[in-house]
């Protein structure tokens, strides 16, 4: 997968993060996201006519990513949909959400990285092709330690009444929010291109390492 030497900084209320300049960002609100995505794709195709055969694939992927981001309460959603010469675009996304949890007694859950890591389940693949998950702690430069999972997981399809899942490359990093008890910034990267799992882990790690709190 190609490297991305050029990045742009995305800033929201309370945080900023750097992503490759070629990534897509759009309005995720249900009432406006379809028009927003179609305009963005049309503009990208005008500038890069070689993408025209993949127009429908871009629109479909970005609309699904926007809907999933909205349902998860994401504060930011960035998507990549790149054509590296294959028959279909290589796709992936990174979202940033503010999440929290409480104990059965109603107290905020501790957000120390070791405590979060202890609550996250490791999953070992029993045979080739099985899903798996590793749990670690990492150090985000300028921010500090954070709990992380990464693996190839069966992710529930949001809102699916039949409980279906989709297999995806997934990395989730839980960064404690300073001064907010029980709150963490969840930076989640995902892609359904399983053959490029290791490359996506490197990419998601690089993007997450640029996360900073502001204000």
């Amino acid at each position: 997968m190609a490297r991305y030497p050029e990045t742009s900084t995305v800033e929201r209320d309370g945080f900023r993060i750097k992503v490759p300049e070629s990534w897509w960002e759009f309005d995720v609100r249900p009432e406006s996201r379809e028009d927003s995505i179609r305009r963005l794709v049309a503009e990208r195709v005008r500038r890069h006519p070689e993408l025209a055969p993949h127009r429908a694939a871009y629109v479909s992927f970005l609309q699904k990513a926007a809907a999933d981001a909205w349902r998860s309460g994401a504060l930011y959603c960035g998507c990549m949909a790149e054509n590296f010469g294959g028959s279909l675009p290589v796709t992936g996304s990174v979202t940033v959400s503010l999440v929290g949890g409480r104990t059965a007694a109603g107290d905020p859950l501790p957000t120390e990285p070791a405590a979060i890591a202890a609550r996250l389940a490791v999953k070992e693949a029993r045979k080739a092709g099985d899903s798996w998950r590793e749990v670690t702690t990492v150090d985000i430069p300028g921010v500090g330690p954070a709990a992380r999972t990464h693996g190839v997981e069966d992710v529930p399809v949001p809102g699916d009444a039949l409980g279906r899942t989709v297999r995806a490359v997934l990395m989730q990093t839980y960064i404690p929010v300073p001064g907010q008890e029980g709150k963490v910034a969840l930076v989640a990267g995902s892609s359904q291109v399983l053959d490029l799992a290791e490359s996506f882990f490197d990419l998601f790690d690089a993007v997450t390492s640029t996360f900073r709190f502001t204000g």
Side-chain angles (χ1 to χ4, degrees):
M1 191 161 58
R3 296 294 180 184
Y4 296 89
E6 300 298 327
T7 62
S8 60
T9 300
V10 177
E11 193 149 355
R12 294 290 181 273
D13 185 22
F15 72 88
R16 66 175 181 269
I17 194 168
K18 292 183 179 180
V19 300
E21 281 190 342
S22 61
W23 281 25
W24 311 69
E25 186 192 1
F26 38 80
D27 187 351
V28 300
R29 293 175 298 176
E31 66 270 20
S32 51
R33 64 187 176 221
E34 289 195 10
D35 286 343
S36 173
I37 288 168
R38 291 187 184 280
R39 287 196 303 269
L40 282 172
V41 172
E43 176 59 28
R44 189 73 63 95
V45 170
R46 276 195 294 270
R47 288 188 281 119
H48 302 280
E50 69 276 11
L51 302 181
H54 305 290
R55 180 195 297 263
Y58 287 144
V59 170
S60 177
F61 164 70
L62 295 172
Q63 287 181 345
K64 181 181 183 305
D68 290 348
W70 176 261
R71 282 190 289 263
S72 72
L75 303 175
Y76 165 77
C77 175
C79 298
M80 65 166 288
E82 303 282 352
N83 186 329
F84 297 119
S87 59
L88 291 173
V90 174
T91 57
S93 65
V94 169
T95 61
V96 180
S97 308
L98 184 66
V99 300
R102 292 186 176 275
T103 66
D107 299 318
L109 288 170
T111 58
E112 292 81 6
I116 294 176
R119 298 196 300 269
L120 299 171
V122 174
K123 183 177 182 181
E124 295 185 6
R126 295 180 179 272
K127 62 181 185 301
D130 281 356
S131 60
W132 59 275
R133 182 195 305 119
E134 293 184 3
V135 178
T136 60
T137 57
V138 296
D139 190 70
I140 308 298
V143 175
R148 168 177 290 174
T149 67
H150 78 278
V152 175
E153 303 196 39
D154 293 320
V155 182
V157 176
D160 188 279
L162 300 178
R164 287 172 291 193
T165 62
V166 61
R167 185 157 291 187
V169 179
L170 184 63
M171 177 180 287
Q172 299 187 99
T173 307
Y174 300 79
I175 307 171
V177 179
Q180 294 195 35
E181 189 178 20
K183 296 291 186 181
V184 297
L186 173 60
V187 183
S190 67
S191 172
Q192 293 181 35
V193 186
L194 306 184
D195 290 343
L196 294 177
E198 292 302 324
S199 294
F200 272 110
F201 291 144
D202 289 343
L203 176 60
F204 296 151
D205 175 67
V207 170
T208 304
S209 71
T210 70
F211 180 91
R212 301 290 185 275
F213 291 108
T214 60

